[in-house]
Amino acid sequence: MNHDEHDVPAPKLGTATLVLLALLLLTATTVALAFLALAPALHVAAAMTIAAVKALLVAAFFMHLASEAAASRVVALVSVILLAILMLLVVVDITHLGGG
């Protein structure tokens, strides 16, 4: 396939700036979370949720997933569902098998 047939424009400057600010805010939240006295399972769940949101922002705006075909979005949705299952299993493992 020729790359010229499927060129997708880069995100607009305002959109890219908002996404950058959201990513920076989420990163600061992750760092601040490390200083809170929470249960290990809650730390892991919160950090992984923040990481998943950051990955979703990057995929949607900088990887142009928001403007892709429906099949690509379905593949991404299945990936997010599998990630959620993995996160749940990690939290259950930490909670019930010796972390918290």
Side-chain angles (χ1 to χ4, degrees):
M1 179 167 98
N2 187 359
H3 289 286
D4 294 332
E5 296 172 5
H6 198 269
D7 280 342
V8 177
K12 298 199 182 317
L13 183 61
T15 303
T17 303
L18 286 176
V19 172
L20 172 66
L21 290 174
L23 291 170
L24 290 172
L25 178 67
L26 289 168
T27 300
T29 304
T30 304
V31 172
L33 183 68
F35 293 103
L36 296 178
L38 300 173
L42 190 56
H43 268 287
V44 171
M48 290 181 80
T49 301
I50 292 170
V53 170
K54 291 192 308 186
L56 179 66
L57 285 171
V58 170
F61 292 100
F62 297 119
M63 295 174 64
H64 309 291
L65 191 61
S67 61
E68 282 293 323
S72 297
R73 285 184 257 154
V74 168
V75 169
L77 179 63
V78 169
S79 300
V80 169
I81 291 169
L82 291 174
L83 176 65
I85 292 170
L86 178 66
M87 288 171 53
L88 178 65
L89 291 173
V90 169
V91 170
V92 168
D93 182 43
I94 290 172
T95 303
H96 295 294
L97 297 179

